[in-house]
Amino acid sequence: GARLVIAFGGDGHINEIANGLAGSSTALGIVPGGTMNVFARVLGIPLDPLAAVDHLQGALQREVVEVPLGRMDDRYFTFSAGCGFDAEAAGRVERYVPAKRRFGELFFYWSAFRVLAGTYRHRNPTMKLHGDFGEVPVAMAVVCNAGPYAYLGNRPVNLTPHVDLHKGIDVFALRSMKIESLPAYAWRVAVSGDLVHHPDVFYASDLESFELSSDKPFHRHVDGEPLPPVHSVNFQIAANALRVRA
């Protein structure tokens, strides 16, 4: 029966609350308090908590905004979900919370490098994407409802350059992962901004639904929050699923 629930925390905290509010008439307000605060930035909310409170007070005078959410099976995500490599990296980050709090964004990228450098099982396609685009063997996949995927300081990390919060979901996938290609991946993300044109990449935009499957269980996450491994998942867009004050 509440008209407004205010989330003060990071993207994982906001994900939990958004899942509780999705489909209801209760609106979500956000005061950023996490590491990257991607969804808050998408909505144009100031990162300073006191400024965010002032922004929210102004938002109460405006019409509530209805936004879509991505959905992985029965779990919603506000901006991204991942399967495979980046999900295992997210799991590693959550296992070392003190380091996450101390080093922030850098610890996520260091964890991603450690996962890739320390294992071979992510280098070859172990999963398959199925959708209107056909069947595509991939080594990892990131699905975005909004962008960017992450931040490094104030620099956005765009894996899905055409994603739009008010359109469908986008999928970015690597057909294979090569540690020797990391410098090229990093250059295309941080400098040239055209990673989607790399020959290892599969990218599709503005989708309503698709599936991902594997013979072996794979790691997965929603908004950086790890979920139990599974053999398959279904992704879809849930229109007007969440009411926000922003």
Side-chain angles (χ1 to χ4, degrees):
R3 290 188 299 167
L4 177 70
V5 171
I6 301 172
F8 178 28
D11 287 309
H13 179 68
I14 291 167
N15 176 276
E16 294 284 353
I17 295 177
N19 271 270
L21 298 182
S24 76
S25 61
T26 303
L28 171 67
I30 297 174
V31 177
T35 304
M36 293 193 190
N37 305 298
V38 175
F39 193 55
R41 297 194 206 202
V42 168
L43 297 174
I45 297 170
L47 297 185
D48 177 78
L50 295 179
V53 170
D54 289 340
H55 181 86
L56 179 59
Q57 186 176 20
L60 295 177
Q61 312 306 315
R62 300 187 290 271
E63 291 291 325
V64 69
V65 179
E66 292 185 340
V67 299
L69 294 173
R71 188 165 179 169
M72 176 197 286
D73 291 339
D74 60 351
R75 186 66 182 260
Y76 294 102
F77 55 94
T78 61
F79 68 96
S80 80
C83 297
F85 163 70
D86 83 315
E88 190 166 340
R92 189 178 190 280
V93 169
E94 291 305 310
R95 289 195 301 273
Y96 298 96
V97 174
K100 173 186 175 183
R101 290 174 177 168
R102 181 178 180 183
F103 299 107
E105 299 162 356
L106 289 177
F107 185 64
F108 173 81
Y109 296 107
W110 172 246
S111 296
F113 175 77
R114 288 291 300 272
V115 168
L116 179 58
T119 179
Y120 286 87
R121 66 180 179 273
H122 299 296
R123 296 192 179 188
N124 296 312
T126 57
M127 303 178 284
K128 290 183 179 179
L129 285 167
H130 313 265
D132 292 341
F133 44 75
E135 181 177 285
V136 183
V138 299
M140 59 86 73
V142 172
V143 182
C144 290
N145 177 53
Y149 164 72
Y151 282 88
L152 182 56
N154 290 323
R155 181 183 291 273
V157 177
N158 287 308
L159 295 184
T160 55
H162 302 308
V163 71
D164 188 316
L165 179 60
H166 297 286
K167 293 185 178 180
I169 47 178
D170 287 22
V171 58
F172 167 94
L174 286 171
R175 294 182 174 90
S176 63
M177 299 189 66
K178 307 166 187 172
I179 193 167
E180 61 270 19
S181 296
L182 277 179
Y185 296 159
W187 174 269
R188 285 175 177 259
V189 167
V191 181
S192 64
D194 66 343
L195 181 57
V196 294
H197 298 118
H198 192 282
D200 292 341
V201 171
F202 170 78
Y203 177 52
S205 183
D206 196 15
L207 304 171
E208 291 189 4
S209 66
F210 57 91
E211 296 180 355
L212 181 69
S213 64
S214 174
D215 293 335
K216 297 180 180 180
F218 52 82
H219 294 267
R220 58 191 179 127
H221 77 85
V222 287
D223 295 335
E225 293 295 290
L227 298 177
V230 293
H231 286 274
S232 66
V233 290
N234 177 267
F235 288 100
Q236 56 185 294
I237 189 73
N240 301 324
L242 183 66
R243 294 163 58 86
V244 295
R245 290 287 186 180

